[in-house]
């Protein structure tokens, strides 16, 4: 696990201090959830959260090097630099509830989510609402998504995300609260990753247009920069023998059919970005390990 979180130059812990694609230092906490056949409860995620900058966490060196895992979701939390931001374990990703195999994390933002709840709460199931402990938009979206899932199949998860987006857009219209909403989500279960890159533009539109690279040139704090953050793709890298390289995220190159490992990330983690495939805005990806092989399916969300 330390080969993912600690040793690479662009490790997750270092990204909290030096993010490549995000304008803010990510100081509001961090965490991970992981599964391993080496744990006493291999079917349950091992969860760790701490509401501080990851590089200040004095537990990292004692815990992470002792863990070998088969599936992992890790996250550093970016939040506004003001006193309204609540730094607490309960607000650190990933979130994990009883009654579902899925844990969730995202790099995103749903403005006015507390007000939108007036329209959305009736779609939420009690079994998930009663497990809410924090006060973040991501955890509420987790509750809403789980409530909409009819099963854990790829098809039903896709339909769940599509229905969640439909409900969000309708709530924005009904309450006259249009806003840019960025949902860059990783939904993870043992040997499965479902990645989603979706959202709405400044007027609540579901198909905002623009070249994210050109929009990024406007600089942080502008509407165009915010739109560029929404439209930027997410990134995937697949290959073999990852565990043999401790200091980088490079794999032994191979075709996806021959890959034994995959990384899904919010930004490319190596200098050779051409090696990374992209999940474009409006797309969903299904990654699954079956034995020693990885399958990858990308589809468009109908929102």
């Amino acid at each position: 696990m330390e080969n993912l979180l600690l040793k690479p130059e662009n490790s997750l812990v270092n990204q909290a201090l030096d993010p490549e694609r995000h304008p803010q230092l990510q100081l509001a906490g961090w965490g991970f959830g992981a599964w391993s056949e080496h744990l006493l409860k291999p079917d349950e995620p091992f969860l760790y959260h701490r509401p501080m900058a990851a590089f200040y966490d004095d537990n990292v060196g004692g815990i992470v090097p002792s863990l070998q895992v088969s599936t992992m979701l890790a996250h550093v939390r970016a939040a506004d630099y003001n006193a309204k931001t609540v730094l607490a374990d309960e607000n650190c990703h990933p979130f994990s509830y009883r009654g579902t195999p899925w844990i969730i994390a995202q790099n995103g933002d749903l403005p006015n989510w507390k007000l939108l709840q007036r329209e959305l709460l009736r779609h939420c199931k009690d079994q998930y609402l009663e497990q809410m402990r924090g006060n973040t938009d991501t955890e509420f979206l987790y509750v809403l998504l789980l409530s909409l899932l009819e099963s854990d199949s790829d098809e039903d998860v896709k339909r769940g995300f599509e229905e969640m987006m439909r409900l969000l857009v309708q709530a924005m219209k009904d309450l006259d609260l249009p806003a840019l909403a960025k949902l860059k989500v990783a939904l993870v279960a043992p040997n499965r990753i479902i990645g989603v890159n979706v959202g709405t533009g400044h007027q609540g539109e579901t198909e905002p247009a623009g070249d994210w690279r050109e929009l990024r040139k406007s600089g942080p704090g502008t509407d165009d920069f915010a739109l560029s953050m929404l439209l930027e793709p997410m990134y995937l890298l697949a290959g073999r023998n990852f565990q043999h390289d401790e200091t980088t995220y490079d794999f032994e190159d191979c075709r996806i059919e021959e890959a034994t490992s995959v990384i899904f990330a919010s930004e490319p983690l190596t200098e050779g970005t051409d090696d990374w495939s992209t999940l474009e805005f409006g797309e969903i990806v299904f990654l699954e390990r079956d034995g020693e092989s990885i399958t990858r399916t990308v589809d468009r969300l109908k929102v």
Side-chain angles (χ1 to χ4, degrees), residues 15-264:
Q15 287 176 56
L17 181 62
D18 187 24
E20 296 289 333
R21 301 291 181 91
H22 198 282
Q24 293 178 311
L25 301 182
Q26 300 177 27
L27 309 178
W30 81 293
F32 61 82
W35 290 267
S36 172
E37 61 274 18
H38 304 290
L39 296 172
L40 292 178
K41 297 180 179 180
D43 296 328
E44 297 181 15
F46 178 96
L47 294 171
Y48 180 85
H49 302 117
R50 212 152 182 218
M52 59 166 52
F55 49 85
Y56 282 139
D57 190 342
D58 55 352
N59 287 327
V60 169
I63 294 176
V64 171
S66 298
L67 295 174
Q68 181 180 9
V69 301
S70 57
T71 310
M72 182 183 69
L73 173 59
H75 181 270
V76 286
R77 184 184 177 210
D80 291 336
Y81 301 152
N82 60 55
K84 293 181 180 179
T85 299
V86 179
L87 301 184
D89 285 345
E90 293 82 3
N91 287 339
C92 294
H93 308 212
F95 298 99
S96 175
Y97 283 0
R98 301 182 306 276
T100 176
W102 301 108
I103 64 175
I104 195 172
Q106 75 148 344
N107 289 346
D109 181 36
L110 179 61
N112 306 308
W113 70 274
K114 292 181 179 179
L115 300 178
L116 295 175
Q117 286 181 104
R118 283 189 275 167
E119 297 295 324
L120 298 172
L121 279 171
R122 66 176 180 268
H123 302 285
C124 297
K125 293 182 178 179
D126 291 350
Q127 70 183 97
Y128 302 121
L129 277 173
E130 66 183 10
Q131 295 186 63
M132 279 195 72
R133 300 179 62 206
N135 65 339
T136 64
D137 51 354
T138 300
E139 188 176 10
F140 178 70
L141 289 172
Y142 182 47
V143 169
L144 180 59
L145 176 65
L146 293 178
S147 301
L148 297 172
L149 295 183
E150 296 181 6
S151 78
D152 298 319
S153 70
D154 289 352
E155 295 78 9
D156 279 340
V157 172
K158 178 175 182 285
R159 280 193 291 268
F161 273 106
E162 291 171 341
E163 179 65 7
M164 183 174 73
M165 284 302 303
R166 187 190 69 78
L167 293 173
L168 291 176
V169 171
Q170 190 61 51
M172 289 181 186
K173 290 179 179 178
D174 291 345
L175 298 176
D176 194 22
L177 292 171
L180 186 148
K182 182 178 69 170
L183 279 65
K184 295 182 182 291
V185 179
L187 189 70
V188 178
N191 297 311
R192 294 175 71 188
I193 299 173
I194 297 179
V196 172
N197 186 5
V198 73
T200 61
H202 289 289
Q203 304 306 315
E205 70 274 25
T206 57
E207 296 184 2
D211 182 327
W212 73 268
R213 291 183 178 85
E214 291 299 316
L215 292 166
R216 186 67 54 91
K217 296 175 182 178
S218 62
T222 65
D223 284 351
D224 281 353
F225 189 90
L227 184 59
S228 78
M229 297 281 287
L230 171 68
L231 296 176
E232 182 181 3
M234 301 177 79
Y235 299 88
L236 300 101
L237 183 67
R240 300 176 63 86
N241 297 328
F242 166 78
Q243 68 274 17
H244 296 161
D245 193 339
E246 298 180 354
T247 59
T248 78
Y249 291 102
D250 286 331
F251 286 102
E252 175 187 322
D253 291 337
C254 65
R255 295 180 297 118
I256 184 64
E257 295 82 5
E258 300 171 333
T260 57
S261 301
V262 63
I263 296 175
F264 176 63

